[in-house]
Amino acid sequence: MNPFDWQQTLACGAYSRFPEAPRRPVIGITGNFDDNRCTLASTYYKMVVEAGGTPVIIPPIDNQEVIINTLAHIDGLLLSGGGDYNPLYCGEQPSPYLGGICSERDLAELLTVRLAYNRQIPMLGICRGIQTLAMALGGHVIQDLCHQRDIPQTVKHSQQAPRETQTHTVDITPNSILHDLYKDDSIAVNSFHHQAVGNPGKLFIATARAKDGVIEAIESSDFKPVMGVQWHPECLASGAPLFKWLVDQAKAYHEACILHSRILTLDTHCDTPMLFHQGIDIAVRDPRILVDLHKMDEGHQDATIMVSYLPQPKLGETFSSKVAFDVSSPFEYANLIFDKIEAMVAAHRDEVSIARTPSDLYEDKRKGRKSIMLGIENGIALNGDIANVKHFAQRGVVYITLCHNGDNDICDSAKGCNTHNGISRFGEKVVKEMNRWGIMVDLSHAGERSFYDAIDISATPIVCSHSSARSLCNHPRNLTDDQMRALASVGGVAQITLYPGFLRSEGEATVMDAIAHLEHAIHIMGIDHVGIGSDFDGDGGIRGLSCSSEMLSFTRMLLARRYNPADLQKIWGGNFLRVMSIVQQSANANTNSISIE
């Protein structure tokens, strides 16, 4: 073929068949900047292509709207090498040994990394890129290895040999991503730097070091697909595994995003309203809370059930002394919380709405809105008046957790004193009235006797909106295997919670513990009876699944464990909504006469 006959090339290429080309993950590569030009060494994008990705160059622009729109169109981010960082960005004065800085890149890349991290986008940082990760995400960068480090430098970290020459070795930490890629404890690398990561910070762990102790690689400590290396793998034949890793992670990220666009994702329990007294607004990305519209958007989460949490007063305490707002009763407090939710939603009606039914949720998703459902955590909100069940049904409450940490007038708590030996006579009336008005009976926090009583009393399936498995963590708040079987036998669901103390008895709980509890519940109950109720802002949240923005990562991990889309729809709210539909549809004729306009 004539190499200059470009039309023949087109005729014989992808354009001549259908589909024209399989989708390749889009990898954004940060461009360098020099002499008023955005530049990039060809080795970066060639390695991305070789690994199966589609490279695009990201110019250094610090406009946040531009960055957010850019991130919306890529599946992975490659942070390229280049000049030194201006240390003023981390509050340090420049060392006299600081090299040439690139002010055009610094702010743009720090913003890009922070926003990409919030969105769970896979990242690989190279040379300056590893320093970008550290600078943007809480680590510390040494300005000059020779003069700002206590340990003497015994390795030449800025070689004069050609870039494709390996000049020193690095030791790799076992059980790290890097070790999995190279299957070796040590590899030879090249080196062109005098800055280095001094402290990776809480979000990273060091996974490779030079013989003199200099950090040569870091990776996420939160199970995120984020890694940085100090050397230049794009110049080495041995660098291919790193680019293949990034492209594979980008593909998995894209698959998770597509799945979330097709299924409805519901977190069945969050306590964000408990913090309303601090003046928070769910439309603001607020570091004080774990659930807001920004974080839900970053995590591709469609809906959450925000509860009015009512602490259980002890003997001799008044309810008003337990809450931040000046109220006269639990009933008044619950209504005040719902008033505040409704006011916030009304102020942002184009972005979020209050949903009352599963159909409302799906309609909101179709229109591109987030959804909030209302729940009550602790039946003392009824104020001992059975008529208030109807009142809360009319307000749109979808479930009432019968009790909290302490017995109340409805039932005994898992942490109570066996006041009623289960559900009280009044509690029996409450359960039946909830059935009548289409409110789900939630048995999280209930004692075992209360649990079995509710199953016997309720005419519709019950739920546990945020509970985990007692056989994996022996806590009275968790469900025994027998409780799980009983729950499944009546069509109910158990929503695994992310409260650390309900996932592990000792040590730090992580997302892997949440997966273990979920899979145990699936083993005992079946895939049709499980879900997730995070307990965010009620002390829920664990490493790897710490807020709403990380919900997408959970899906990515479950996809890697071979869960299919149908399974994930069930886990992400489908099972819970099935019960909600049954409860609402079986409500008697009195419920059908209620206006829910």
Side-chain angles (χ1 to χ4, degrees), residues 31-37 60 81-90 92-107 109-110 128 131-132 135 141-144 148 194-195:
N32 206 343
F33 191 85
D34 183 49
D35 194 23
N36 212 32
R37 294 177 298 171
D84 288 352
Y85 260 98
N86 187 334
L88 292 176
Y89 280 108
C90 60
E92 295 182 5
Q93 292 301 310
S95 160
Y97 303 100
L98 183 70
I101 62 174
C102 183
S103 58
E104 194 80 15
R105 292 185 70 178
D106 288 358
L107 179 58
E109 293 184 10
L110 292 172
R128 170 190 162 93
Q131 295 156 24
T132 305
M135 289 273 289
V141 171
I142 300 169
Q143 293 185 46
D144 185 80
Q148 291 184 301
H194 71 106
Q195 286 191 325

Side-chain angles (χ1 to χ4, degrees), residues 120 266-276 280 288-292 295-296 299 301 303-309 377 399 465-466 477 496-500 502-503 511 514 532-554 572:
Q120 321 306 308
L266 169 68
D267 172 10
T268 61
H269 189 91
C270 85
D271 281 298
T272 307
M274 191 165 62
L275 305 177
F276 281 177
I280 65 166
R288 295 174 296 177
I289 56 177
L290 304 181
V291 182
D292 56 44
K295 296 183 185 74
M296 289 177 69
Q301 178 186 339
T304 187
I305 301 179
M306 287 192 174
V307 300
S308 174
Y309 157 70
E377 187 173 22
Y399 71 68
S465 67
H466 58 302
R477 264 283 282 110
I496 300 302
T497 190
L498 307 180
Y499 188 92
F502 301 157
L503 295 176
V511 65
I532 301 295
S534 69
D535 210 6
F536 285 153
D537 291 318
D539 291 331
I542 51 181
R543 185 159 61 88
L545 194 46
S546 65
C547 65
S548 284
S549 68
E550 296 189 341
M551 293 299 203
L552 188 73
S553 288
F554 193 62
W572 272 130

Side-chain angles (χ1 to χ4, degrees), residues 398-418:
V398 297
Y399 71 68
I400 297 176
T401 313
L402 297 188
C403 63
H404 194 253
N405 291 335
D407 301 346
N408 61 16
D409 57 352
I410 296 173
C411 68
D412 295 336
S413 165
K415 298 186 72 175
C417 305
N418 200 30

Side-chain angles (χ1 to χ4, degrees), residues 39-281:
T39 62
L40 185 70
S42 64
T43 45
Y44 288 107
Y45 57 78
K46 288 181 178 179
M47 289 292 274
V48 168
V49 172
E50 185 67 25
T54 298
V56 296
I57 300 174
I58 301 175
I61 297 173
D62 60 19
N63 183 296
Q64 291 187 52
E65 290 187 1
V66 171
I67 293 172
I68 290 169
N69 277 276
T70 299
L71 296 178
H73 291 87
I74 65 172
D75 306 311
L77 180 61
L78 177 59
L79 304 164
S80 65
D84 288 352
Y85 260 98
N86 187 334
L88 292 176
Y89 280 108
C90 60
E92 295 182 5
Q93 292 301 310
S95 160
Y97 303 100
L98 183 70
I101 62 174
C102 183
S103 58
E104 194 80 15
R105 292 185 70 178
D106 288 358
L107 179 58
E109 293 184 10
L110 292 172
L111 292 172
T112 297
V113 166
R114 180 73 260 185
L115 292 168
Y117 189 85
N118 291 344
R119 286 157 174 75
Q120 321 306 308
I121 295 175
M123 289 187 277
L124 172 62
I126 292 175
C127 196
R128 170 190 162 93
I130 188 178
Q131 295 156 24
T132 305
L133 292 172
M135 289 273 289
L137 298 170
H140 176 261
V141 171
I142 300 169
Q143 293 185 46
D144 185 80
L145 287 171
C146 294
H147 300 89
Q148 291 184 301
R149 191 165 173 269
D150 296 333
I151 303 172
Q153 179 181 331
T154 58
V155 173
K156 187 175 180 62
H157 288 282
S158 185
Q159 69 188 62
Q160 272 127 0
R163 285 183 172 265
E164 64 273 15
T165 303
Q166 298 162 311
T167 58
H168 72 282
T169 59
V170 297
D171 296 326
I172 301 176
T173 303
N175 302 316
S176 62
I177 295 172
L178 204 58
H179 198 277
D180 289 343
L181 293 177
Y182 285 96
K183 313 297 184 188
D184 207 334
D185 297 332
S186 178
I187 61 171
V189 301
N190 54 10
S191 190
F192 302 90
H193 69 104
H194 71 106
Q195 286 191 325
V197 174
N199 181 349
K202 294 180 180 180
L203 299 180
F204 292 101
I205 54 174
T207 55
R209 293 180 183 267
K211 296 299 183 181
D212 57 1
V214 169
I215 293 175
E216 294 271 355
I218 60 175
E219 64 186 56
S220 170
S221 60
D222 290 341
F223 305 93
K224 286 183 168 65
V226 182
M227 178 165 49
V229 297
Q230 187 59 71
W231 63 91
H232 279 267
E234 79 281 6
C235 299
L236 302 173
S238 62
L242 287 167
F243 290 88
K244 183 66 166 57
W245 170 83
L246 177 63
V247 169
D248 287 346
Q249 294 301 318
K251 181 180 180 182
Y253 169 80
H254 178 77
E255 289 175 353
C257 289
I258 292 297
L259 180 61
H260 273 236
S261 73
R262 294 173 177 169
I263 68 173
L264 183 76
T265 50
L266 169 68
D267 172 10
T268 61
H269 189 91
C270 85
D271 281 298
T272 307
M274 191 165 62
L275 305 177
F276 281 177
H277 67 279
Q278 298 182 19
I280 65 166
D281 183 342

